[in-house]
Amino acid sequence: MITVLCLHIATKQASYRYRVGAFLPYWKEYGVEMHAVSIVGKNYIDKVRLALLAGKYDYVWLQRKPLAPFLVNMIARRSRLIYDFDDALYTRQSTHVGKLKDKHPGSPAYISRINHLLGKSSLVFGGSTVLCEYAQGYAPPERVFLVPTALERPPLVEPLFREPGKVTVGWIGSNGNLPFLRLIDKAVYEVQRKFPDVRFSVMCGKSPEGLQAQWEFVPWSPETELQWLESIDIGIMPLENDEWSRGKCAFKLLQYMSHGKPVIASAVGENLTAVEHGHTGFLARSEGEWQSGFEKLLIDGKMRRTMGAAGYARFLSIYERGVVQSQIARLLGSN
């Protein structure tokens, strides 16, 4: 049995839920025993105590949050260190404004911690190709592996809303990502003028503001998320073409694909890998391409069904929880 101490971020965060929590009930099936501990809110003494425990485990899996170099060195001397990250923490977030503090991604102090941690890791799990490429600048390439964010195959659920003959376009995300909807505001507005019966729905913590286009707001909750995803007909993921966005893991697209929905996404970063253009959806580089993608899918119901089925098959073969967990188990067993 391989033993792993997982030091993870807060359980309420999506990164934890899908890159740690989703795997926990199943590890013993793969010959792995994982002890998971949140390091959020731990004082320095508690972190030192956890670092001293590293020698009792085959691996210490540090999820996302970079620890101080002193603690990283303590762990690396006692066990094999895994660093798992799913955001471009070495750069400023797209929506961050103002001066960067040391605790903010992209600050010199944060970058220094990330780079030191990568160099000390026995294994690095990057959630996107761009993140892996960055990691290979500080860790030997043979230690760095692309590990997609994983989702369970969703159960059959009743749609949250469904009106016969009415097509729904949906976006789901955190409050901090709402500004990305501005990138396609003109395209959505023009589509709404041309197709007034189409619903545009957003599931989030708050309603989008300052947009010309009209969005129906559905408050996010874990109880209704799957029903909302089942309700929509087309899923979208607009992104800035900046360093932070290029590191993203295309997670929204995986959510849509897991429910058999065709997608339209900005041709940025991991979206280029997740979407097979013209087969599972459309990649867009301009507002004109966004509008064209919308119109093709809105007009052609057969295309929506065909692309949605292809996206679902791609999800099952690459991103489904069991597929990804098997990949991780093989890496743990071979290092």
Side-chain angles (χ1 to χ4, degrees):
M1 185 74 73
I2 297 170
T3 56
V4 182
L5 172 63
C6 179
L7 305 178
H8 61 77
I9 61 175
T11 56
K12 65 181 180 181
Q13 294 193 31
S15 180
Y16 165 82
R17 294 201 309 272
Y18 295 104
R19 295 187 70 86
V20 175
F23 300 134
L24 289 178
Y26 307 101
W27 272 125
K28 290 190 177 179
E29 299 174 17
Y30 298 87
V32 176
E33 184 175 315
M34 180 175 283
H35 181 209
V37 179
S38 173
I39 54 174
V40 176
K42 292 280 191 297
N43 60 39
Y44 196 76
I45 298 300
D46 287 338
K47 291 176 181 177
V48 169
R49 287 171 178 159
L50 287 169
L52 291 172
L53 288 175
K56 296 184 178 181
Y57 297 88
D58 297 311
Y59 292 95
V60 174
W61 179 323
L62 181 58
Q63 192 232 345
R64 203 174 191 277
K65 187 176 178 65
L67 293 175
F70 172 69
L71 295 170
V72 169
N73 294 342
M74 286 181 66
I75 293 170
R77 284 196 298 267
R78 290 165 171 77
S79 185
R80 286 171 288 181
L81 178 61
I82 299 168
Y83 184 53
D84 173 41
F85 70 131
D86 61 345
D87 269 320
L89 303 173
Y90 47 82
T91 191
R92 178 191 290 262
Q93 295 184 49
S94 302
T95 55
H96 184 94
V97 294
K99 185 178 179 181
L100 290 173
K101 298 180 181 179
D102 287 350
K103 65 180 181 179
H104 290 149
S107 69
Y110 211 95
I111 294 171
S112 177
R113 283 193 175 196
I114 291 286
N115 296 346
H116 178 81
L117 175 53
L118 290 169
K120 290 292 183 178
S121 295
S122 297
L123 289 171
V124 178
F125 296 159
S128 72
T129 304
V130 168
L131 298 183
C132 290
E133 290 171 351
Y134 181 87
Q136 288 169 353
Y138 300 91
E142 65 273 12
R143 297 184 192 173
V144 180
F145 297 91
L146 175 61
V147 177
T149 300
L151 289 87
E152 289 280 8
R153 186 182 313 200
L156 294 175
V157 294
E158 286 294 321
L160 193 62
F161 47 76
R162 180 65 60 82
E163 296 177 32
K166 189 159 189 174
V167 180
T168 299
V169 177
W171 179 91
I172 186 171
S174 65
N175 296 353
N177 288 330
L178 278 171
F180 292 133
L181 291 178
R182 296 174 189 159
L183 302 174
I184 58 169
D185 189 36
K186 183 178 178 181
V188 173
Y189 177 74
E190 292 300 327
V191 168
Q192 288 179 335
R193 289 181 61 187
K194 193 170 182 177
F195 302 89
D197 290 334
V198 174
R199 171 192 280 121
F200 281 79
S201 178
V202 57
M203 173 170 260
C204 190
K206 68 177 184 179
S207 177
E209 299 174 350
L211 299 178
Q212 192 175 16
Q214 299 300 308
W215 291 83
E216 294 184 10
F217 170 58
V218 180
W220 180 87
S221 77
E223 293 78 24
T224 58
E225 181 182 80
L226 294 181
Q227 291 176 289
W228 181 90
L229 286 163
E230 190 62 29
S231 299
I232 67 172
D233 299 286
I234 302 165
I236 64 170
M237 186 174 179
L239 283 179
E240 290 276 9
N241 189 6
D242 61 13
E243 195 172 12
W244 177 265
S245 295
R246 288 192 289 272
K248 282 184 169 290
C249 300
F251 181 64
K252 289 180 182 58
L253 300 181
L254 310 187
Q255 289 181 290
Y256 307 140
M257 290 160 59
S258 73
H259 284 260
K261 311 301 178 180
V263 299
I264 311 175
S266 296
V268 172
E270 201 64 15
N271 291 4
L272 296 166
T273 299
V275 181
E276 294 179 291
H277 181 70
H279 185 57
T280 64
F282 295 111
L283 291 164
R285 292 175 170 82
S286 66
E287 287 204 74
E289 290 185 359
W290 271 96
Q291 187 170 340
S292 174
F294 280 133
E295 293 185 5
K296 288 176 182 178
L297 285 171
L298 292 174
I299 290 169
D300 195 336
K302 182 179 179 182
M303 178 185 285
R304 292 198 300 272
R305 292 187 293 273
T306 301
M307 286 188 166
Y312 181 64
R314 185 166 177 78
F315 160 75
L316 290 179
S317 65
I318 302 174
Y319 305 106
E320 190 269 333
R321 191 272 313 162
V323 173
V324 176
Q325 194 160 8
S326 294
Q327 174 196 359
I328 297 172
R330 288 193 297 271
L331 293 173
L332 296 179
S334 61
N335 285 272

